[in-house]
Amino acid sequence: MEHLRYDLGSLKRGSTVVVTLKNQANVQLMTRTDYNSYKAGRRYRYHGGRVTRSPFSITVPSDGQWVVAVDLGGHSGRIVASVAVKPPPSGFLP
């Protein structure tokens, strides 16, 4: 499946991933392992889903290596997206 991939590297729990889209799309935050399964067409776990309003924010659920995949769910069109990461709020306890 055609998609955009954003390797976010190592993120702390409580960080916020902000995805800005030009059009609606599927936004999926997942571990690198789950991303490899996504790419191979196997079962995988993710946070997010179909996004119709931009910007869209997702809170990182645990420390680790994270990837965002943005796709059109098999529909045709051009994917236009940007991704930013905000650190956990000050005073956030893991």
Side-chain angles (χ1 to χ4, degrees):
M1 176 181 303
E2 191 173 326
H3 65 280
L4 296 180
R5 173 185 184 259
Y6 298 89
D7 189 334
L8 305 178
S10 181
L11 296 178
K12 295 287 186 190
R13 179 176 161 241
S15 298
T16 302
V17 177
V18 181
V19 181
T20 304
L21 301 167
K22 183 174 180 184
N23 299 311
Q24 66 180 357
N26 295 322
V27 174
Q28 301 171 91
L29 173 69
M30 60 191 101
T31 64
R32 283 187 181 161
T33 300
D34 284 312
Y35 175 75
N36 289 334
S37 294
Y38 163 82
K39 220 170 52 169
R42 296 187 302 264
R43 292 178 67 124
Y44 63 98
R45 295 173 57 172
Y46 67 92
H47 302 272
R50 189 92 176 133
V51 174
T52 58
R53 290 188 177 180
S54 182
F56 177 70
S57 297
I58 309 171
T59 302
V60 174
S62 61
D63 293 357
Q65 301 290 321
W66 292 92
V67 175
V68 168
V70 181
D71 66 52
L72 298 177
H75 294 86
S76 62
R78 185 168 175 245
I79 306 168
V80 179
S82 63
V83 176
V85 177
K86 296 179 182 177
S90 59
F92 182 83
L93 299 175

